Amino acid sequence: MTDDFMGPPWQADWVEAASAYRDALPEEVRKKIRDGMADLVTARNPYVPQDELPEGFFLEPARSSRPKGPHILSFDRGRGWLRFTFVPRVEDPQIVVEEIFWQ
């Protein structure tokens, strides 16, 4: 075993329903989602991005009792959100987007 832990950028995987919902959103909303995801996949720890998130974004745990569990990335000043988990495997670590919503 080596000490080489894979770092960012992480792979991003979308659950099929979340991907279909994202693809049906208007282009300007999809661009906002891409901007937020770009910060997550390049952060050393996606649950605590070192760089500031774009304006209108904020990040919080889905449940305060599970700080390493699913997180919510709110975008478009709270009009939308996506729920994701980070799977920090030694091989192929990834961010899994489980659910998305925008109004």
Side-chain angles (χ1 to χ4, degrees):
M1 178 176 237
T2 70
D3 291 333
D4 296 333
F5 179 73
M6 293 181 68
W10 310 111
Q11 297 294 321
D13 188 21
W14 292 74
V15 172
E16 188 175 338
S19 178
Y21 187 87
R22 175 201 63 204
D23 294 344
L25 293 172
E27 178 59 33
E28 67 271 5
V29 177
R30 290 194 313 264
K31 182 184 181 318
K32 290 176 184 183
I33 293 168
R34 283 191 300 270
D35 291 346
M37 286 299 294
D39 281 355
L40 290 179
V41 300
T42 58
R44 182 75 182 135
N45 179 351
Y47 288 155
V48 186
Q50 282 99 357
D51 300 327
E52 288 187 30
L53 291 169
E55 187 175 333
F57 285 76
F58 53 94
L59 181 67
E60 61 188 353
R63 291 177 54 188
S64 62
S65 62
R66 296 187 63 206
K68 292 187 179 184
H71 273 57
I72 305 291
L73 175 67
S74 295
F75 60 91
D76 199 12
R77 303 193 188 288
R79 289 186 63 199
W81 52 263
L82 58 87
R83 187 179 74 198
F84 72 93
T85 55
F86 176 59
V87 184
R89 298 183 292 235
V90 173
E91 289 188 30
D92 194 29
Q94 63 183 330
I95 294 170
V96 179
V97 179
E98 301 169 338
E99 196 173 359
I100 186 169
F101 175 78
W102 182 77
Q103 60 182 3

